[in-house]
Amino acid sequence: MNGSNPSLVSAIRGPVMLITLGVLLAMDHNGTISFGRTWPVLLIMFGVFKLAERAGAKSA
Amino acid sequence: MKRTSIVAPLLLIGIGALFLARNLYPELPLIDYLAKYWPYILIIWGVLRLAEILIWAAVSKPLPARGMSGGEWVLVFFLCLFGATLHTVRGFSTWWPRSGITMGGLDMFGESFEYPLSGEKACSKTPRVVIESFRGNARITGGDTDSVKVTGRKTIRSLDQSGADRANQDSPFELAGDANQLVVRTNQDHVSGNTRASAELEIAVPRGATIEAHGRRGDFDITDIAGNIEISSDNAGVRLQNIGGDVRIDLRRSDIVRAISVKGELELKGRGSDVELQGVEGPVTITGTYNGVLQFRNLSKPLRFHGQQTELNIEKLPGQVRMALGDLTASNLVGPVHLSTRSRDVQLSDFTNSLEVSLERGDIELRPGKLPLAKMDVHTRSGDIELSLPPGAKFDLTASTGRGDVTNDFGPPLKVETDHRGTTLRGSTGGGPTVNLQTERGQLIVRKASPEDKPLTPRGEAPKPPEPPVPQKPLKKVEQ
């Protein structure tokens, strides 16, 4: 990755993670499924983003 | 040019609007909305930021290295903390892992939805009625009937109607079995996830029924049953009245266990607070830890109490015993009476046959009252012993204190001896049972009882009149 022209993937990582967090918490609060069970989704998302970044950096 | 996000200004505007709304419409439950819907702030924030970045990308503006700066994540963290706290404080939930580790009975959130339930089934005159894994309050009443009739309602806590409906379908009420064995099943343990169901049941059964109840949490009021009662629960208050058979109660926690007029034997196990037994005709066995007030009245057969620190055995109790945290007061006991405990002030009056008391710490006051005297063997490591005897009593006394004064009302027949180990009061008034009093540190008083003596009452407390038997109040809701 080069710092001068960061990829779109790493730029949207933060907001997408934030949205995911919000959705999980909202689901927790309206009783659909507890955050205590769904939190690993955040780890998975983070991992997926890291992979996508690597792939993007290689192809660039 | 450094680009700044539009989210921060929007967030400020949002917070300002919120406070303004709160000032203009104070009756709006804004805090509740906030507690319930704060995660949507995160979602909106994320969506705005995402849209921003996508627009920048579309118009080929330079992208930021990271979509969210460290500072923003810190803000998110605090927002989460604030929201979760609010959510918890407003009673919607205990937020952290809520159903992964269900936190006892604390999982309270959402609103309650109520569903009526009822059922009736014919049965024999002496059925066995089993209540399975029940959560809630049940009042069971025996009567002249040959059916089991259940009425009541189920309360489901859920955030919305659909969740509650689903939970209601998952926990159908069943009245199963045949004429001799009926099962009342509320299936509350089938409710999954974050929803909790509890029920308030009124169950009318034939008088001859036998009741077996397994509860998770909630109270049982049982009246006028001729059969046996068996209750086990994680947390329950139990009130029984007019029971013809044996009673067996096993609780992991309870606020009160009350039994009034039981014909059979009574066995109580577990932990709890208050215990009140009155008019039990069979033997009573109590094992466990009870840290409230224990009161026993009118027990016709032996009482065996095995507490964590206290052992009390009484052959028969025409009078009463009251045990609170620091004291024990009893009157009118039929011995042999045996009491051993760690730290309590003990007051006993009118006891017969024999008495054995052993304390670690505490004052002892004894008034045998009736003649002939009981044989007494009384020991405390630290505390005063006062013995009031009727004037004409015959006894053979040995009373010693390691350090403390001796008072003798009986005069010459009793002699005081002092040596390096302490003071001993010894003597006999012409035969009679042996009376051994021993304190390692404390006063010894042997006095003549006089009619002016006030009745013994626990220190700092007036004797409470017996509570009225099981008031027919509406069943209260279980706080989940």
Side-chain angles (χ1 to χ4, degrees):
Chain A
M1 282 201 293
N2 50 13
S4 61
N5 186 18
S7 70
L8 181 64
V9 175
S10 64
I12 64 167
R13 185 179 74 205
V16 172
M17 293 293 290
L18 187 60
I19 294 170
T20 315
L21 179 68
V23 168
L24 294 187
L25 286 173
M27 279 178 11
D28 174 272
H29 282 28
N30 70 29
T32 316
I33 184 161
S34 138
F35 185 71
R37 282 196 227 169
T38 54
W39 64 267
V41 171
L42 290 174
L43 283 186
I44 294 170
M45 295 275 298
F46 196 77
V48 167
F49 268 107
K50 281 285 177 200
L51 272 181
E53 260 169 42
R54 277 169 64 104
K58 262 181 205 155
S59 65
Chain B
M1 182 188 79
K2 184 170 172 11
R3 287 203 149 268
T4 50
S5 165
I6 57 161
V7 174
L10 282 179
L11 214 62
L12 268 181
I13 293 171
I15 292 172
L18 206 69
F19 278 106
L20 186 64
R22 195 179 132 76
N23 289 344
L24 294 183
Y25 308 100
E27 72 282 359
L28 224 65
L30 278 176
I31 298 290
D32 281 349
Y33 287 150
L34 203 60
K36 223 185 260 188
Y37 298 115
W38 68 270
Y40 292 96
I41 297 177
L42 296 184
I43 297 177
I44 293 167
W45 184 346
V47 168
L48 284 174
R49 201 78 182 91
L50 187 62
E52 213 174 25
I53 287 166
L54 289 178
I55 290 168
W56 288 346
V59 298
S60 307
K61 287 202 174 148
L63 291 174
R66 289 189 296 167
M68 300 277 293
S69 70
E72 281 175 301
W73 278 120
V74 171
L75 200 58
V76 168
F77 176 76
F78 280 111
L79 189 65
C80 286
L81 215 60
F82 171 74
T85 311
L86 203 61
H87 197 245
T88 310
V89 169
R90 301 306 287 186
F92 291 123
S93 84
T94 57
W95 111 282
W96 183 253
R98 198 176 45 224
S99 68
I101 307 164
T102 317
M103 302 174 86
L106 280 177
D107 30 16
M108 186 213 276
F109 72 110
E111 301 161 52
S112 340
F113 296 88
E114 295 197 344
Y115 298 86
L117 50 82
S118 67
E120 184 164 6
K121 207 172 166 93
C123 61
S124 67
K125 283 278 179 207
T126 55
R128 179 180 178 79
V129 179
V130 181
I131 301 171
E132 278 184 357
S133 61
F134 177 66
R135 183 189 282 266
N137 299 328
R139 180 186 293 151
I140 303 168
T141 314
D144 293 318
T145 163
D146 45 13
S147 69
V148 170
K149 190 176 173 195
V150 182
T151 52
R153 61 179 191 273
K154 177 159 51 175
T155 307
I156 293 175
R157 291 197 79 89
S158 172
L159 261 195
D160 50 27
Q161 182 81 47
S162 64
D165 287 345
R166 214 178 322 126
N168 183 39
Q169 279 160 22
D170 287 346
S171 60
F173 170 72
E174 289 174 71
L175 194 53
D178 54 34
N180 287 316
Q181 168 138 351
L182 277 106
V183 182
V184 177
R185 210 174 277 143
T186 47
N187 290 318
Q188 284 150 319
D189 45 349
H190 293 188
V191 175
S192 60
N194 300 317
T195 320
R196 285 276 167 264
S198 74
E200 274 90 60
L201 300 182
E202 300 260 359
I203 306 176
V205 300
R207 205 182 294 282
T210 295
I211 310 287
E212 188 183 326
H214 305 286
R216 294 289 307 281
R217 183 189 174 85
D219 294 351
F220 292 100
D221 279 17
I222 303 181
T223 321
D224 296 328
I225 299 290
N228 298 341
I229 309 285
E230 202 177 321
I231 296 174
S232 66
S233 174
D234 290 345
N235 187 353
V238 176
R239 293 172 183 83
L240 307 177
Q241 193 174 8
N242 286 337
I243 306 300
D246 297 342
V247 174
R248 219 169 289 275
I249 302 174
D250 189 346
L251 306 173
R252 285 179 48 194
R253 223 161 82 195
S254 72
D255 51 351
I256 185 164
V257 175
R258 179 190 295 157
I260 299 173
S261 50
V262 173
K263 292 230 159 45
E265 72 182 79
L266 190 145
E267 194 183 321
L268 173 61
K269 266 200 287 201
R271 296 167 159 272
S273 183
D274 295 354
V275 177
E276 252 184 81
L277 305 180
Q278 194 177 331
V280 180
E281 291 176 28
V284 175
T285 312
I286 300 176
T287 318
T289 314
Y290 298 88
N291 50 25
V293 178
L294 292 93
Q295 297 191 81
F296 310 122
R297 271 192 200 92
N298 194 9
L299 310 180
S300 335
K301 287 271 163 61
L303 165 71
R304 301 272 174 265
F305 179 86
H306 310 283
Q308 209 173 30
Q309 302 188 340
T310 304
E311 295 267 330
L312 174 66
N313 293 335
I314 299 173
E315 275 318 292
K316 203 171 146 185
L317 179 66
Q320 59 168 309
V321 173
R322 185 182 184 281
M323 241 194 282
L325 206 56
D327 60 53
L328 185 150
T329 308
S331 61
N332 200 359
L333 321 174
V334 174
V337 177
H338 172 89
L339 167 69
S340 73
T341 182
R342 288 271 289 276
S343 177
R344 264 180 214 280
D345 290 334
V346 175
Q347 300 177 311
L348 302 175
S349 59
D350 297 332
F351 46 88
T352 61
N353 288 340
S354 78
L355 174 73
E356 228 177 283
V357 178
S358 149
L359 298 194
E360 289 276 315
R361 188 168 55 240
D363 297 341
I364 303 174
E365 210 178 325
L366 303 172
R367 297 187 186 173
K370 293 175 201 154
L371 291 174
L373 281 188
K375 180 175 176 295
M376 280 175 251
D377 207 341
V378 177
H379 178 98
T380 175
R381 293 261 306 267
S382 170
D384 302 340
I385 301 179
E386 183 178 336
L387 174 65
S388 311
L389 295 166
K394 292 203 177 350
F395 55 87
D396 182 358
L397 177 83
T398 311
S400 68
T401 170
R403 197 161 72 221
D405 296 336
V406 174
T407 310
N408 172 22
D409 263 11
F410 278 81
L414 306 180
K415 286 188 190 64
V416 178
E417 299 161 17
T418 307
D419 60 15
H420 65 282
R421 278 179 312 190
T423 311
T424 307
L425 181 66
R426 210 189 297 271
S428 162
T429 58
T434 53
V435 175
N436 266 314
L437 311 178
Q438 198 186 359
T439 170
E440 287 170 30
R441 197 164 59 241
Q443 283 188 56
L444 264 180
I445 301 167
V446 179
R447 52 186 282 263
K448 284 182 180 157
S450 78
E452 287 98 68
D453 287 348
K454 284 194 213 109
L456 291 173
T457 49
R459 279 148 206 242
E461 240 177 294
K464 233 178 20 178
E467 289 201 34
V470 197
Q472 290 292 315
K473 58 165 197 306
L475 292 164
K476 65 169 194 296
K477 227 174 255 172
V478 180
E479 285 303 326
Q480 302 252 2

PDB file of all heavy atoms in Angstrom, chain B residues 114-125:
ATOM      1  N   GLU B 114     -49.111  -9.445  27.794  1.00  0.00           N
ATOM      2  CA  GLU B 114     -49.810 -10.443  28.583  1.00  0.00           C
ATOM      3  C   GLU B 114     -50.725 -11.294  27.706  1.00  0.00           C
ATOM      4  O   GLU B 114     -51.348 -10.798  26.771  1.00  0.00           O
ATOM      5  CB  GLU B 114     -50.650  -9.758  29.664  1.00  0.00           C
ATOM      6  CG  GLU B 114     -49.760  -9.055  30.653  1.00  0.00           C
ATOM      7  CD  GLU B 114     -50.461  -8.718  31.935  1.00  0.00           C
ATOM      8  OE1 GLU B 114     -51.700  -8.764  31.943  1.00  0.00           O
ATOM      9  OE2 GLU B 114     -49.760  -8.430  32.921  1.00  0.00           O
ATOM     10  N   TYR B 115     -50.761 -12.571  28.031  1.00  0.00           N
ATOM     11  CA  TYR B 115     -51.607 -13.507  27.304  1.00  0.00           C
ATOM     12  C   TYR B 115     -52.401 -14.296  28.336  1.00  0.00           C
ATOM     13  O   TYR B 115     -51.818 -14.832  29.275  1.00  0.00           O
ATOM     14  CB  TYR B 115     -50.747 -14.456  26.482  1.00  0.00           C
ATOM     15  CG  TYR B 115     -49.917 -13.758  25.446  1.00  0.00           C
ATOM     16  CD1 TYR B 115     -48.673 -13.237  25.770  1.00  0.00           C
ATOM     17  CD2 TYR B 115     -50.381 -13.589  24.145  1.00  0.00           C
ATOM     18  CE1 TYR B 115     -47.905 -12.574  24.829  1.00  0.00           C
ATOM     19  CE2 TYR B 115     -49.629 -12.922  23.198  1.00  0.00           C
ATOM     20  CZ  TYR B 115     -48.389 -12.414  23.545  1.00  0.00           C
ATOM     21  OH  TYR B 115     -47.640 -11.756  22.621  1.00  0.00           O
ATOM     22  N   PRO B 116     -53.690 -14.370  28.185  1.00  0.00           N
ATOM     23  CA  PRO B 116     -54.450 -15.157  29.148  1.00  0.00           C
ATOM     24  C   PRO B 116     -54.206 -16.642  28.907  1.00  0.00           C
ATOM     25  O   PRO B 116     -53.918 -17.052  27.773  1.00  0.00           O
ATOM     26  CB  PRO B 116     -55.900 -14.778  28.829  1.00  0.00           C
ATOM     27  CG  PRO B 116     -55.864 -14.364  27.409  1.00  0.00           C
ATOM     28  CD  PRO B 116     -54.511 -13.775  27.144  1.00  0.00           C
ATOM     29  N   LEU B 117     -54.288 -17.427  29.930  1.00  0.00           N
ATOM     30  CA  LEU B 117     -54.237 -18.864  29.709  1.00  0.00           C
ATOM     31  C   LEU B 117     -55.202 -19.544  30.660  1.00  0.00           C
ATOM     32  O   LEU B 117     -55.479 -19.060  31.753  1.00  0.00           O
ATOM     33  CB  LEU B 117     -52.819 -19.416  29.845  1.00  0.00           C
ATOM     34  CG  LEU B 117     -51.960 -19.075  31.048  1.00  0.00           C
ATOM     35  CD1 LEU B 117     -52.309 -19.956  32.204  1.00  0.00           C
ATOM     36  CD2 LEU B 117     -50.508 -19.266  30.688  1.00  0.00           C
ATOM     37  N   SER B 118     -55.730 -20.652  30.209  1.00  0.00           N
ATOM     38  CA  SER B 118     -56.651 -21.386  31.065  1.00  0.00           C
ATOM     39  C   SER B 118     -56.740 -22.818  30.578  1.00  0.00           C
ATOM     40  O   SER B 118     -56.359 -23.145  29.460  1.00  0.00           O
ATOM     41  CB  SER B 118     -58.037 -20.738  31.039  1.00  0.00           C
ATOM     42  OG  SER B 118     -58.584 -20.881  29.760  1.00  0.00           O
ATOM     43  N   GLY B 119     -57.232 -23.671  31.442  1.00  0.00           N
ATOM     44  CA  GLY B 119     -57.393 -25.073  31.088  1.00  0.00           C
ATOM     45  C   GLY B 119     -58.112 -25.778  32.201  1.00  0.00           C
ATOM     46  O   GLY B 119     -58.075 -25.346  33.355  1.00  0.00           O
ATOM     47  N   GLU B 120     -58.801 -26.840  31.821  1.00  0.00           N
ATOM     48  CA  GLU B 120     -59.480 -27.629  32.844  1.00  0.00           C
ATOM     49  C   GLU B 120     -59.447 -29.076  32.410  1.00  0.00           C
ATOM     50  O   GLU B 120     -59.560 -29.387  31.234  1.00  0.00           O
ATOM     51  CB  GLU B 120     -60.923 -27.148  33.018  1.00  0.00           C
ATOM     52  CG  GLU B 120     -61.620 -27.873  34.147  1.00  0.00           C
ATOM     53  CD  GLU B 120     -62.900 -27.181  34.609  1.00  0.00           C
ATOM     54  OE1 GLU B 120     -63.302 -26.198  33.963  1.00  0.00           O
ATOM     55  OE2 GLU B 120     -63.470 -27.645  35.592  1.00  0.00           O
ATOM     56  N   LYS B 121     -59.273 -29.968  33.384  1.00  0.00           N
ATOM     57  CA  LYS B 121     -59.220 -31.377  33.067  1.00  0.00           C
ATOM     58  C   LYS B 121     -59.803 -32.154  34.238  1.00  0.00           C
ATOM     59  O   LYS B 121     -59.454 -31.884  35.388  1.00  0.00           O
ATOM     60  CB  LYS B 121     -57.759 -31.784  32.832  1.00  0.00           C
ATOM     61  CG  LYS B 121     -57.600 -32.973  31.910  1.00  0.00           C
ATOM     62  CD  LYS B 121     -56.126 -33.167  31.587  1.00  0.00           C
ATOM     63  CE  LYS B 121     -55.908 -34.516  30.962  1.00  0.00           C
ATOM     64  NZ  LYS B 121     -55.954 -34.523  29.515  1.00  0.00           N
ATOM     65  N   ALA B 122     -60.658 -33.099  33.913  1.00  0.00           N
ATOM     66  CA  ALA B 122     -61.257 -33.911  34.972  1.00  0.00           C
ATOM     67  C   ALA B 122     -60.209 -34.863  35.534  1.00  0.00           C
ATOM     68  O   ALA B 122     -59.270 -35.265  34.843  1.00  0.00           O
ATOM     69  CB  ALA B 122     -62.430 -34.703  34.417  1.00  0.00           C
ATOM     70  N   CYS B 123     -60.360 -35.197  36.808  1.00  0.00           N
ATOM     71  CA  CYS B 123     -59.386 -36.099  37.408  1.00  0.00           C
ATOM     72  C   CYS B 123     -60.028 -36.822  38.570  1.00  0.00           C
ATOM     73  O   CYS B 123     -61.185 -36.597  38.904  1.00  0.00           O
ATOM     74  CB  CYS B 123     -58.168 -35.326  37.887  1.00  0.00           C
ATOM     75  SG  CYS B 123     -58.588 -34.114  39.132  1.00  0.00           S
ATOM     76  N   SER B 124     -59.252 -37.721  39.190  1.00  0.00           N
ATOM     77  CA  SER B 124     -59.770 -38.476  40.321  1.00  0.00           C
ATOM     78  C   SER B 124     -59.817 -37.571  41.547  1.00  0.00           C
ATOM     79  O   SER B 124     -59.454 -36.406  41.509  1.00  0.00           O
ATOM     80  CB  SER B 124     -58.867 -39.676  40.577  1.00  0.00           C
ATOM     81  OG  SER B 124     -57.607 -39.225  41.017  1.00  0.00           O
ATOM     82  N   LYS B 125     -60.234 -38.159  42.658  1.00  0.00           N
ATOM     83  CA  LYS B 125     -60.315 -37.367  43.891  1.00  0.00           C
ATOM     84  C   LYS B 125     -58.941 -37.107  44.482  1.00  0.00           C
ATOM     85  O   LYS B 125     -58.753 -36.186  45.272  1.00  0.00           O
ATOM     86  CB  LYS B 125     -61.181 -38.117  44.923  1.00  0.00           C
ATOM     87  CG  LYS B 125     -62.663 -38.005  44.640  1.00  0.00           C
ATOM     88  CD  LYS B 125     -63.208 -36.687  45.184  1.00  0.00           C
ATOM     89  CE  LYS B 125     -64.689 -36.564  44.886  1.00  0.00           C
ATOM     90  NZ  LYS B 125     -65.088 -35.150  44.788  1.00  0.00           N
TER      91      LYS B 125
END
